[in-house]
Amino acid sequence: MQQSRKRIETHGTIALTSSIAVMIEFQHVFKSYGRGRNILADINFRVTAGEFIFVSGASGAGKSTLLKLIGGLEPASRGSIQVNGQRLDKLSAHARPYLRRAVGVILQDTHLLYDRSALQNVMLPLAVTGQSSGQASARARAALDKVGLAGKEDMNPIELSGGEQQRLAIARAIVNRPAILIADEPTANLDLDTARRIMNVFRDFNRVGVTTLIASHDQALMAQYATRTLRLEPGKFFDTGALA
Ligand SMILES: Nc1ncnc2c1ncn2[C@@H]1O[C@H](COP(=O)(O)OP(=O)(O)OP(=O)(O)O)[C@@H](O)[C@H]1O
Ligand SMILES: [Mg+2]
């Protein structure tokens, strides 16, 4: 009796585990730049599909570094990182573009191209996908529409407000329909109303299943959106919602 119940429970655990998709997994990850000190030391966490995560910590704590590791923009010094089912340190040249498409990245500096129109900026990530320019343009227009920038396709980023530029960077990050969206301080230097509008754009993507991680200094704002916090402090890492 005892044994058969145990078997059922084990079975149940397996079913439960396999139904939750792990999108990001860090195992004993260390990061230093060159020969410098460890910015991140022995970081372990797991993010499942559809989570909305706030990455917090003082300036210099390593928030941007953490997001760059997830986006594959920086290599880990030690440890294993899996993103969307792939180990980043074992990624073949062939698999790299797929990872780029699976993860939409919005960096602290938006890296918009100021000599091109808003539409051309959003079309850039589509250039390598082999779509016709008509298809790419339609996808880019749809992305601009989603972030509330319909009608501004032909404007130069310099003609857009700070909040609009942030939304343009979000449109460029989501145009490939990524499974994971990571954003580094997307509401910095914006008034509260505009910041909320930007956060609502992320919330809408998250509601349709996009796993979302946002680094920010704005604890109060993030608390309204995120359900879990990864907090970095020198030499320490806190996870408010790790799965058992
Ligand atoms: N490319 C680099 N080369 C050397 N050191 C770096 C590099 N990038 C970041 N660092 C160092 O790593 C530490 C963490 O930087 P990081 O940008 O990850 O912090 P942060 O938490 O995002 O800070 P902020 O809130 O100011 O954006 C800092 O001490 C920084 O000087
Ligand atoms: Mg930063």
Side-chain angles (χ1 to χ4, degrees), residues 5-31:
R5 187 185 301 151
K6 194 166 179 204
R7 211 173 296 140
I8 292 163
E9 279 171 6
T10 311
H11 206 73
T13 310
I14 291 165
L16 184 69
T17 314
S18 61
S19 67
I20 300 173
V22 175
M23 301 306 288
I24 302 167
E25 183 160 27
F26 274 47
Q27 287 178 305
H28 305 294
V29 171
F30 290 73
K31 174 65 182 175

Side-chain angles (χ1 to χ4, degrees), residues 33 37 39 58-65 74 108 185 217:
Y33 291 98
R37 67 184 169 95
I39 307 300
S59 182
K63 303 180 296 297
S64 297
T65 301
E74 277 287 343
Q108 210 159 356
E185 313 221 12
H217 287 282

